[in-house]
Amino acid sequence: MQRLRIQHLTKYLFSTPVTLNPHRLLIRPRAGHDVHIQSSKLDIRPAYNIKWQRDVFDNSLAVVSFLARSNELIIASEVVIQHYEHAPFDFLVEEYALHYPFQYAAGEQLDLASFQQLKFFNDQRLVNDWLQQLNLFGRQTFDLLMTLNLAIHNQLRYQVREEAGVQSPAQTLAQGSGSCRDYATLFIEACRCLGLASRFVSGYLHASATEIGNASTHAWAEIYLPGAGWKGFDPTSGEVTGSRHIAVAVARDPETVPPVSGSFIGPDTALPIMQVNVQVNLLA
C-alpha cells in the first residue's frame, strides 16, 4: 500500500465579472478495493452550492452552482488516498479468452455492447489497415494488447495539447503525434475494431514530473478481459496501469469526462485565461 496526496488547481481569470453557469467536476478519485480515500478538501470561489451524485458510469460527479458574479473561478482540490494496486500483472484471464479472437460470454455481451461500438466510424478502414501492419492476429490476448500499447507509445510523438476534446484516430496517425487523451482514444478505437470492449479513463499519474507540480491530468484506456475485469493500458507510457495511476472517471466516449466543464454569460471580451496545476506526491 502507498499513500498519495493529489492536489488539483483549476483557475479561470476573466477581464470583467461574469455570470457562471453550473459547472460539472470530475476530480474525485474512484474509490474501491484498490483505492481508499483517506481525506479530501475542496475549496471553490466564488460562493457556491454543491451537489454530489453518481453518473451513469458510477463516477463521483459534483455539480456546482454559483451564487454571485465574479471575475475569477477557482477550484482547488486536495485528496489523500491509499493505493493498493501494487501488482498489475497478478490476474488470470478465462481460458476461452486467452487467445484472440474470442467472444464474450453470453451473459456479459449486452452490458459490454456499448463499449464495443465505434465512435469514429469514418476512421475504421484506416485503423484496420494500421492494425494489419502490427501483425496482431494469432497472438495471446494480453500479448496483443501489450503489442498495441507499445506500438502507439513507440510510433507516435507525445505532444501537450491545450485544445479541448480529442483528435480522431485518423488525425493522430496522420500527424504521428498526440496528447495522452489522443493516444488513449486511438487505443480504444483500435480495440473496438478488434471487437474488444474498451473505455476511456481520466485521472492522475504519479511520476517525477507530477511530484514537482505544474502537471496536468492524465488519460488511458481500460479493456474488459474475462476473468480479470477491466484492465488498464497506458499507451503514453507503454505500460499496464498500476499504483502510479489514479482513476477519476471512466466513459464510453472520450470527450464526455473533462475534469471541469461549464459555461459563463458575459461580454465577448471576457474570454478567460485558464491555469491548471496538478501535483501528486508520495507520502510516508
Side-chain angles (χ1 to χ4, degrees):
M1 185 272 289
Q2 60 182 15
R3 294 174 67 239
L4 296 168
R5 181 179 62 226
I6 305 155
Q7 295 169 292
H8 182 173
L9 172 67
T10 300
K11 181 186 294 187
Y12 292 91
L13 301 175
F14 301 88
S15 58
T16 187
V18 299
T19 299
L20 295 162
N21 291 325
H23 278 55
R24 294 163 55 91
L25 311 184
L26 287 166
I27 56 178
R28 183 180 174 88
R30 287 172 61 89
H33 66 278
D34 53 344
V35 173
H36 295 175
I37 296 178
Q38 183 173 319
S39 65
S40 64
K41 294 188 297 184
L42 186 59
D43 179 27
I44 301 176
R45 284 177 279 167
Y48 67 95
N49 288 325
I50 188 169
K51 291 185 177 180
W52 289 93
Q53 59 186 257
R54 290 284 182 178
D55 69 8
V56 68
F57 296 110
D58 203 33
N59 301 314
S60 189
L61 169 67
V63 180
V64 182
S65 300
F66 299 95
L67 306 179
R69 288 166 57 84
S70 178
N71 61 359
E72 68 176 7
L73 169 58
I74 297 175
I75 301 167
S77 168
E78 180 178 309
V79 181
V80 175
I81 66 166
Q82 297 172 328
H83 206 316
Y84 293 87
E85 184 68 284
H86 62 280
F89 293 96
D90 184 16
F91 65 90
L92 294 174
V93 177
E94 293 284 0
E95 186 174 352
Y96 73 86
L98 282 174
H99 292 84
Y100 180 83
F102 67 89
Q103 281 195 336
Y104 289 110
E108 297 179 327
Q109 289 179 9
L110 182 61
D111 294 324
L112 295 174
S114 64
F115 296 100
Q116 296 172 281
Q117 294 177 6
L118 299 177
K119 174 175 172 58
F120 300 91
F121 298 98
N122 294 335
D123 293 0
Q124 183 176 9
R125 182 173 179 179
L126 180 65
V127 173
N128 279 328
D129 289 344
W130 177 68
L131 287 171
Q132 288 287 345
Q133 299 172 23
L134 300 181
N135 191 28
L136 298 174
F137 297 92
R139 295 174 180 259
Q140 289 193 353
T141 304
F142 183 74
D143 181 40
L144 177 153
L145 291 168
M146 281 304 299
T147 300
L148 177 60
N149 203 35
L150 288 170
I152 295 174
H153 173 70
N154 293 328
Q155 293 181 13
L156 304 180
R157 184 181 74 259
Y158 176 75
Q159 182 178 20
V160 176
R161 285 198 311 107
E162 300 295 340
E163 302 88 354
V166 298
Q167 293 179 168
S168 70
Q171 286 177 294
T172 300
L173 290 173
Q175 296 173 11
S177 65
S179 67
C180 58
R181 61 188 187 275
D182 302 321
Y183 280 30
T185 299
L186 173 58
F187 186 93
I188 290 166
E189 201 71 0
C191 287
R192 289 176 179 173
C193 284
L194 296 171
L196 299 174
S198 316
R199 66 185 186 184
F200 183 86
V201 188
S202 174
Y204 302 108
L205 178 69
H206 176 231
S208 56
T210 56
E211 280 273 358
I212 299 170
N214 296 318
S216 59
T217 55
H218 194 49
W220 59 94
E222 286 183 345
I223 311 302
Y224 186 79
L225 295 176
W230 291 100
K231 296 300 295 181
F233 294 83
D234 183 356
T236 303
S237 61
E239 62 187 271
V240 176
T241 62
S243 58
R244 298 199 314 128
H245 295 76
I246 305 107
V248 168
V250 300
R252 190 185 69 83
D253 185 337
E255 296 185 297
T256 60
V257 285
V260 178
S261 61
S263 60
F264 68 92
I265 300 173
D268 294 341
T269 56
L271 292 178
I273 298 173
M274 183 179 73
Q275 301 174 12
V276 176
N277 184 16
V278 171
Q279 187 169 353
V280 183
N281 296 105
L282 182 64
L283 302 178

